[in-house]
Structure formats: C-alpha cells, structure tokens
Amino acid sequence: MKLFSSNLNLAIESSCDDFSCSILKKNDSKINIISNVVYSQDFIHGIYGGVVPELASRNHIKSAIPAVNIALSKANIKLKEISLVSVTSGPGLAGSLLVGLMTAKTLSYALKIPITAVNHIEGHIFSPFLNSNIKEVFPFIALVISGGHSHIYIVKSHEDIKLIGKTRDDACGEAFDKISNFLNYGYPGGKIIDELAEKGSINAFNFSMPMEHSGNFDLSFSGLKTQVISEINKLGGPKHLQEETVFDIFACLRETIAKILYKKVMSVCEYTGIKDVSISGGVSANSRIRSIFLESGKLNVFFPEPAYSTDNAAMIGYTGYFKKPVDPIINKEIFYNINAEPSWEL
Ligand SMILES: [Fe+2]
C-alpha cells in the first residue's frame, strides 16, 4: 500500500499506563519523527506492583492536552498544520484507550482532517524501523515482548501479518514484574531485574523452560514464575533471602527467559526459512535478550531504539501512515464507530 499522501501526522497512544503524543513528517517515502512526548505513570502504579486500570485512565485525562501541546511545541508545529491524526484503538485497557481515542477523534473532527485507527501491537512490530536507516524487508518474523504481550508473527507486508505463536498464560514481562513484586524489588520488574541480574550467577539455579518441546510456536511463562516462587519459598521466603541469592535468582530468571525466546524464534525461523527478525516491546530493551540474539550470528535482528521499545505514539504514527484514512465528514458513519477494541488481535 502507498503511504498516505498527507505529511504531518499527530499520533496518540494511551493503551496502558503511558500517554504519548508524537508529531511525524513524511517526505517522499521517508518518515521522520519530529517530536515524541511520553507521560509515564510508573511512579503512580509502582506502589501497587502493577498497573491499576482506573488510575491509568484517570491520569490520562490529566495528561492528554498537555502531551498534545508539548509535542506540537517541541516540533515547532501549529495544530492547524496537522493533516492526519493516528491513534491506538486496541488492544489495551478500555478506559485508557478511550481517553486517547476521544482526544484524537475530537482533533480529527474539529480540524476536519482524517484519522487512522492503529493496532498497538502492529505499532510495536514496526518500531525498529523508526528513525532508522534500516528498511523494512518483507517477509520478517516479529517477536513482541512486553508486560502484556509475548507474541510471534510472520509479517509479509503492512496488510499481511499472521500470528504464529503466543503465550498461553503470562507475558514474559509479567513474569519479571511478578517475581520482582514477590521479592519486594519494585515495578517495573523487567528493568530492575535486568540491572541486578548483572551481579548474579546464571549457574546458581536450574529453571526448566516451559513449552520447549511443545512442537508448536506457543510460549508459557506462568510455570516458570511458579518454579521461581517455589524455589524462593524453599529457601525460607522473600524476607529470608540474602541479597546475593536474589541477584542469582534474577540472573537465572533472565537467562531462562532469554533462552526460551531465542529457541522459540529460532524454531520459527527454521520452519519458515526467514532470517530477518524484529524484536520489540518494553522487554526488548532487556540487555540479555538483546545479546543472546545478536551474538548468535544466525539471524538479522532489528531492535527499536530504547525510547521506542516501550509504549510510544511515534510507532502509532508511523504505522498510521499505512492505514486507510477515515474522513470525519465524508466517512461519517465509520468515523463515529471508531471505538476502543481492548481485545483486538492482529
Ligand atoms: Fe506495548
């Protein structure tokens, strides 16, 4: 599909606990990010050990207009210059999605400019190509890993994306969060565990890899989380662990998750014969996951810049250029029906 001809895109992402607004510009076939503003709520949800949906949407209400204003001002662009709005319409938390959607639909309607509704996971899949000289080479395999997703896709084009494997229970980021929370090391667990794992030994514990020989491309992280918790309880529980033991647990957990992901993606690559792999989502920033893929030398692996690993509107704007625009006047019925799709699967 050709890129949408309109060149200045205001994108909004609010599917979980971050509210983000980005301004993008398209020149010929090149898409540039001019600004990308993210209002993080980690400090709000940290005390609960995870995202509280009601708090996330309520805080998005406070962030929405400032995020749009700051993104415009950083880009040195006036609202009237915007010619397209892109917004995440799913999957995600319903209340959170609705705040971003209503902000975007209001802008589209008031400015009389088209809107494109974007799938959040699709945004992640293409995030390694943001602000990058790496061109999309179809087909490629996409691994999306975060607190909410552990999905593997075959991507043949912007219109042809097929799910080939996914977690049957917890996402890998969820496993990091839950273990960190169980040991009282805070939220978000993935980042904390990645840092402290450097001080531990990967040989201290031997955690098995669920679904390793499943014969399909699905994943599972709930069993691994249970193994780790059971090991901690055998050692007397979270309050009785030496700090060194916690570091060893973190190192072994991170190593096991990295190996599970690497082996599963390798099996998809061997099955399909595809060697180009995009790895995205918040957990793609994990240093061991990056190194296990990069050091293998068997695959061409693309990671997003750290700023575009976690949720951001730039990836939504980028993907939005490839979607069919909906005009709020000409396509009134379709426009009115753009809604939150909390369970939208690609
Ligand atoms: Fe995400």
Side-chain angles (χ1 to χ4, degrees), residues 241-317:
L241 293 191
Q242 299 285 328
E243 201 173 45
E244 292 72 25
T245 310
V246 172
F247 298 157
D248 287 344
I249 289 169
F250 286 168
C252 294
L253 173 65
R254 181 180 70 163
E255 186 67 16
T256 307
I257 288 179
K259 280 184 177 165
I260 290 171
L261 295 170
Y262 176 73
K263 286 192 170 189
K264 204 56 93 168
V265 168
M266 272 307 295
S267 67
V268 174
C269 292
E270 280 161 12
Y271 176 75
T272 58
I274 300 169
K275 287 188 172 180
D276 291 318
V277 181
S278 137
I279 303 181
S280 59
V283 179
S284 72
N286 184 286
S287 61
R288 181 55 188 140
I289 291 172
R290 289 196 171 216
S291 70
I292 200 170
F293 278 94
L294 292 171
E295 288 166 8
S296 85
K298 293 177 180 171
L299 304 170
N300 304 318
V301 194
F302 313 119
F303 288 99
E305 287 177 24
Y308 306 126
S309 294
T310 46
D311 292 349
N312 65 87
M315 67 183 190
I316 301 304

Side-chain angles (χ1 to χ4, degrees), residues 28-211:
D28 300 323
S29 60
K30 177 90 176 143
I31 297 169
N32 293 304
I33 300 161
I34 315 179
S35 68
N36 185 56
V37 174
V38 180
Y39 275 57
S40 169
Q41 295 182 16
D42 283 354
F43 67 99
I44 294 169
H45 302 280
I47 52 172
Y48 301 101
V51 176
V52 182
E54 173 79 7
L55 287 178
S57 52
R58 283 180 177 276
N59 281 282
H60 282 342
I61 292 279
K62 295 182 197 169
S63 310
I65 294 171
V68 169
N69 281 337
I70 293 171
L72 286 165
S73 132
K74 280 191 169 182
N76 201 19
I77 298 282
K78 297 214 167 13
L79 195 53
K80 64 182 180 189
E81 295 177 73
I82 298 294
S83 44
L84 175 69
V85 178
S86 295
V87 63
T88 306
S89 61
L93 302 171
S96 290
L97 288 165
L98 285 168
V99 179
L101 271 162
M102 287 315 297
T103 309
K105 286 181 77 171
T106 303
L107 287 169
S108 166
Y109 190 77
L111 297 168
K112 297 185 176 59
I113 54 172
I115 186 168
T116 52
V118 175
N119 182 292
H120 177 82
I121 299 177
E122 193 174 344
H124 275 306
I125 287 173
F126 291 99
S127 61
F129 308 109
L130 298 178
N131 264 11
S132 164
N133 290 324
I134 304 165
K135 287 242 181 258
E136 299 154 1
V137 181
F138 298 109
F140 64 85
I141 303 300
L143 171 68
V144 182
I145 39 177
S146 69
H149 311 292
S150 294
H151 290 41
I152 307 173
Y153 299 89
I154 299 176
V155 186
K156 292 185 178 170
S157 70
H158 279 276
E159 295 82 38
D160 187 350
I161 301 172
K162 282 200 172 56
L163 181 69
I164 190 167
K166 67 174 183 176
T167 181
R168 293 191 173 180
D169 38 60
D170 289 356
C172 57
E174 204 176 340
F176 281 132
D177 285 341
K178 285 178 176 171
I179 297 298
S180 178
N181 197 28
F182 186 67
L183 289 167
N184 294 312
Y185 271 72
Y187 171 86
K191 196 168 174 228
I192 294 161
I193 289 177
D194 192 26
E195 281 170 18
L196 298 178
E198 294 297 324
K199 301 178 183 179
S201 163
I202 57 168
N203 300 313
F205 299 93
N206 186 20
F207 300 131
S208 65
M209 297 193 281
M211 306 286 287

